[in-house]
Every structure is written in C-alpha cells, then in structure tokens.
C-alpha cells in the first residue's frame, strides 16, 4: 500500500475551538466599541492572531499603538486559554476519530498543520495527540495561510512531497494554501464558501473509507 501524508487543520476541523476564539475576540472588540458578529468571525478563520487583531481594528477604523496591540493580543490569548482549559474528548467533531483510526490502522502518516499556538495542549486535552506523527503550529511558522509554509513544513517532517500530501481544511485561506503548495485539498464545511477545494464535505461523517482509500491510491 502507498503511504501518503494526511495533514489536518485544528480549529473547525478536528475540534470546535472557533467558538472560544470568537468569545475571546468579541470581548476585545466590545472593549473597543466594535460590534463583532459571527459573520465577522468568518474573516478570522485560518489567519494568525496578529492578523486577526488587525482585521478587528479595521472593522472599527481604529488606529492603535504597538503597545496597545501587544496588550490586546496577550489578553485575547489568556481569555482563550481560560476557555479551553476544560476541553474534553466530547468536543472532537463528529467523524474525526473514525478517519484518524482508519488512517493509522492502514499505516498512513498524519500531521497537524495549524495557525494555533495552542495546538499541542488542545490535542492533549481531547486525548488524540498520539495519532499525530508530526505537529506544525503557529510557534513553528513565520507566514500565515494562504502562504503554504505550515503544510510544506508538515509534509517535510513526514518525509513526503506536496504531491503525496492531502490537506483537510475549513477555511478559504487554508484551502488556498494547500492548492498553492500543490497538495490535494479537502474542504470541511459549506461548498459555496470552500469552492476552491478539490473535494468538499460538510463534515467528517460524510467521509467513508472508500474515499480515504482512493486518496491513498491516487
């Protein structure tokens, strides 16, 4: 059997931490008098913490010193960490474990490619760290998606080329990064939003073993 590199984003793909990011950013936005909605939060998917703050400040046409920006970035992370402290296995999105188990049982290589700087503690809290052969997160990369750095690094750690790599993503920036890298892109979410993905599923419950086997064989 061929061996491929299966690379997963974290937020919105493996676990639903997006709600915690939203609450933490909403708190910052509220302090600044900005009405931050769920629709606005979609703009932050797959981008770095620094870029997320820039987007929020842009929504309110707010100019801020670097000192203030640094303060808000620290506050956001502390609030977010407070929210995820009590995460448990039941917060893993439906169907994810089944896919991870199939890949592991069939000798495939699995990596995480995420902008999150808290990826390891989250994977530990939900008890799935052992599935991953490599982890590349926001602590390891310089460039945010759609730059493909995070996925290229993950594939390299697994000893695989871009053409041997498959990426699961829920953000437009993440799908674009996978495509730029020359990897197979699998969108997890609404196909109208993730229309640049080569394959698209609403969630992992729609992904069966035959599809995964096809990815391995092609």
């Amino acid at each position: 059997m061929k061996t491929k590199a299966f690379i997963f984003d974290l937020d919105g793909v493996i676990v639903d931490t997006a709600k915690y990011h939203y609450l933490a950013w909403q708190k910052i936005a509220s302090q600044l008098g900005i009405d931050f909605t769920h629709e606005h939060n979609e703009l932050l998917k797959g981008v770095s913490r620094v870029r997320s703050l820039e987007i929020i400040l842009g929504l309110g046409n707010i100019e801020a010193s670097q000192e203030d920006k640094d303060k808000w970035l620290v506050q956001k992370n502390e609030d977010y960490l407070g929210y995820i402290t009590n995460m448990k296995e039941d917060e893993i999105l439906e169907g994810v474990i089944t896919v991870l188990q199939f890949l592991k049982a069939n000798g495939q290589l699995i990596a995480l490619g995420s902008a999150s700087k808290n990826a390891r503690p989250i994977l530990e809290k939900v008890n799935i760290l052992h599935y991953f052969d490599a982890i590349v997160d926001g602590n390891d990369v310089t460039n945010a998606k759609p730059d493909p750095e995070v996925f290229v690094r993950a594939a390299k750690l697994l000893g695989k080329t871009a053409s041997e790599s498959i990426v699961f993503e829920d953000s437009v920036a993440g799908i674009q990064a996978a495509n730029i890298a020359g990897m197979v892109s699998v969108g997890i979410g609404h196909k109208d939003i993730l229309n640049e993905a080569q394959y698209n599923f609403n969630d992992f419950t729609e992904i069966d073993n035959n599809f995964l086997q096809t990815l391995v064989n092609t």
Side-chain angles (χ1 to χ4, degrees):
M1 180 182 289
K2 293 181 180 179
T3 303
K4 296 288 185 71
F6 288 82
I7 307 171
F8 295 76
D9 180 41
L10 178 66
D11 298 341
V13 174
I14 292 176
V15 289
D16 184 18
T17 48
K19 59 188 176 186
Y20 300 129
H21 285 294
Y22 173 67
L23 290 172
W25 282 127
Q26 188 182 49
K27 184 176 178 182
I28 298 289
S30 179
Q31 292 172 1
L32 299 174
I34 299 170
D35 181 26
F36 184 65
T37 66
H38 284 286
E39 286 71 27
H40 292 145
N41 195 52
E42 289 293 313
L43 301 173
L44 311 188
K45 278 190 173 182
V47 303
S48 68
R49 194 184 312 163
V50 171
R51 178 61 186 141
S52 293
L53 178 60
E54 291 173 353
I55 291 171
I56 290 171
L57 294 176
L59 291 172
N61 294 314
I62 293 175
E63 301 252 342
S65 67
Q66 190 59 51
E67 182 180 0
D68 280 338
K69 290 179 182 178
D70 290 342
K71 177 184 67 177
W72 294 327
L73 289 171
V74 170
Q75 179 189 329
K76 187 270 173 181
N77 195 48
E78 289 177 347
D79 288 338
Y80 174 72
L81 290 175
Y83 291 129
I84 68 171
T85 295
N86 298 315
M87 286 186 72
K88 295 183 176 63
E89 292 178 35
D90 61 4
E91 295 200 56
I92 300 171
L93 293 172
E94 192 175 1
V96 170
I97 292 293
T98 301
V99 169
L100 292 176
Q101 287 176 338
F102 176 85
L103 295 176
K104 186 61 72 175
N106 286 277
Q108 300 304 307
L109 298 170
I110 303 172
L112 189 82
S114 170
S116 172
K117 291 189 174 183
N118 303 296
R120 284 182 180 273
I122 290 174
L123 293 177
E124 288 173 348
K125 286 180 183 299
V126 299
N127 198 30
I128 57 172
L129 183 61
H130 60 283
Y131 283 106
F132 293 86
D133 301 296
I135 293 175
V136 181
D137 63 17
N139 298 297
D140 305 312
V141 296
T142 303
N143 303 304
K145 302 167 188 175
D147 190 286
E149 181 185 7
V150 66
F151 298 143
V152 172
R153 280 178 174 262
K156 187 175 181 179
L157 286 175
L158 297 177
K160 294 297 177 181
T161 64
S163 63
E164 298 173 304
S165 302
I166 299 100
V167 173
F168 296 88
E169 260 285 356
D170 74 320
S171 71
V172 172
I175 293 297
Q176 290 172 341
N179 291 341
I180 290 168
M183 300 176 177
V184 174
S185 56
V186 182
I188 305 297
H190 204 289
K191 64 181 179 181
D192 289 342
I193 296 173
L194 304 177
N195 54 48
E196 295 178 54
Q198 289 169 257
Y199 301 96
N200 188 268
F201 300 92
N202 289 311
D203 56 49
F204 279 93
T205 64
E206 297 182 355
I207 297 178
D208 60 23
N209 293 347
N210 289 332
F211 173 72
L212 295 173
Q213 195 65 60
T214 298
L215 292 177
V216 171
N217 293 335
T218 54

